[in-house]
Amino acid sequence: MKYLTKEWYYGNKNICLDLEVDTKAEKLSEEYYKELYNSKLNSFLEEEKEVSEMDYEPETWEDIQIMDDEGNIISAREVMSEEEFEALRQQLLEEEQNQQDVEIEPYDEEASTNDFLEMHQDEIEELKENLPKEILDEVADIRVLALGVATEKVKDLVDKYSQECEMKFEKPFNEYNKHWYSIADKVPAHIKENYNFHDCAILKMTKCGNDIVFELDNSGGFTNINKITYKDAEILQNNFVEGCYWIYDEMYLCDKGYECHIAVDGENGYDYITLQASDVIFE
């Protein structure tokens, strides 16, 4: 991968805090922390109870929203044929039916209380790990921040840092998209229209004569394709692990035809599969 690298992937800071401002967060106060914690806990328990008692209304999936190559949310009908859309719709209906068959666990206040505490503790550790020291030094009580409350100054600092992190995350996508648009008119339609395997699991990768064949579990993705054949292929980098997930991909033109970079996530973490091929065939 030239853009969506390991350094980029592991360097991402995921800061998604919707902070409330309260001047009480300026000072360390055990009394204020307990009051805030109990308030947030009670709200969480109420939501959990409501969900457990909610009547389930199945989705008909008359419209399906997906993300395009530029990160925009669009209707699947815009990029799929009627047959492809209906196949995806039926797949989602089947998955929904399977979910209905799973019995919803009754509300358990003690278990939900423990879940909230565990999530709170995890959030504290994530903030300590992801926020820079100059912001943490302005925080009187990291526990209060983890509950979504901060001073106005800290909120401004966190919001600014979050935006910077988002820009750093998006930058490689934007740069790769520029590359893709520069070569798109040289890539045949059957590849452009079908090369979309985000969140598909790669079950097997086998060599068949001069070809490399990928067998996919596409239940988690947005494609009906479950087999990819790279013609006259040569593996340049092989970090395939059975069942790893196809996360991102990049494509380049080369003397052989196409150089395909695939970022996968499996038991060994984020890694790459790179190969060259004269063509790519889908089944």
Side-chain angles (χ1 to χ4, degrees), residues 37-90:
Y37 181 90
N38 289 331
S39 174
K40 298 287 185 179
L41 170 61
N42 289 334
S43 295
F44 175 79
L45 295 178
E46 287 176 11
E47 290 175 3
E48 291 290 290
K49 191 171 188 297
E50 287 177 6
V51 169
S52 69
E53 297 172 349
M54 190 179 297
D55 292 330
Y56 182 75
E57 296 182 7
E59 172 64 65
T60 60
W61 299 106
E62 296 302 326
D63 187 27
I64 301 169
Q65 302 295 310
I66 62 173
M67 183 178 293
D68 66 12
D69 293 337
E70 298 180 25
N72 301 311
I73 302 300
I74 62 172
S75 171
R77 291 186 185 276
E78 295 181 29
V79 294
M80 290 184 176
S81 67
E82 192 60 36
E83 293 78 12
E84 290 172 330
F85 180 86
E86 185 58 29
L88 175 58
R89 179 174 175 272
Q90 290 301 320

Side-chain angles (χ1 to χ4, degrees), residues 131-276:
L131 287 180
K133 184 177 183 299
E134 54 266 29
I135 295 180
L136 291 173
D137 287 346
E138 296 292 336
V139 177
D141 191 338
I142 192 70
R143 301 173 301 173
V144 170
L145 184 63
L147 290 170
V149 179
T151 62
E152 188 169 354
K153 180 178 181 179
V154 169
K155 182 181 187 308
D156 289 344
L157 289 171
V158 170
D159 288 348
K160 181 180 178 182
Y161 183 66
S162 178
Q163 291 172 2
E164 292 172 354
C165 290
E166 185 175 354
M167 290 174 63
K168 288 179 181 178
F169 177 78
E170 293 293 338
K171 184 179 179 181
F173 284 106
N174 296 333
E175 292 176 343
Y176 174 70
N177 283 337
K178 290 179 182 178
H179 158 75
W180 171 249
Y181 290 129
S182 73
I183 68 168
D185 60 345
K186 300 176 183 177
V187 178
H190 77 275
I191 295 180
K192 288 189 285 190
E193 292 171 2
N194 293 296
Y195 209 79
N196 179 24
F197 303 105
H198 181 71
D199 279 351
C200 291
I202 307 176
L203 304 178
K204 290 183 180 179
M205 188 176 75
T206 55
K207 186 170 180 60
C208 299
N210 294 326
D211 303 336
I212 301 292
V213 178
F214 283 28
E215 293 182 31
L216 307 176
D217 173 359
N218 60 21
S219 60
F222 294 94
T223 178
N224 296 319
I225 294 167
N226 54 32
K227 185 177 180 181
I228 312 169
T229 300
Y230 292 92
K231 303 295 292 181
D232 304 314
E234 176 188 359
I235 292 285
L236 304 180
Q237 194 171 12
N238 185 4
N239 290 294
F240 167 72
V241 176
E242 183 178 342
C244 62
Y245 284 89
W246 185 308
I247 305 300
Y248 303 115
D249 52 72
E250 299 173 3
M251 185 176 291
Y252 302 89
L253 302 180
C254 65
D255 292 341
K256 183 182 284 287
Y258 309 98
E259 184 168 301
C260 303
H261 298 217
I262 305 164
V264 296
D265 195 4
E267 62 183 39
N268 295 330
Y270 188 86
D271 223 322
Y272 317 136
I273 300 171
T274 309
L275 65 161
Q276 292 183 346

Side-chain angles (χ1 to χ4, degrees), residues 122-140:
D122 288 343
E123 181 68 18
I124 291 171
E125 293 307 312
E126 288 180 10
L127 291 175
K128 288 179 179 178
E129 180 179 346
N130 290 329
L131 287 180
K133 184 177 183 299
E134 54 266 29
I135 295 180
L136 291 173
D137 287 346
E138 296 292 336
V139 177

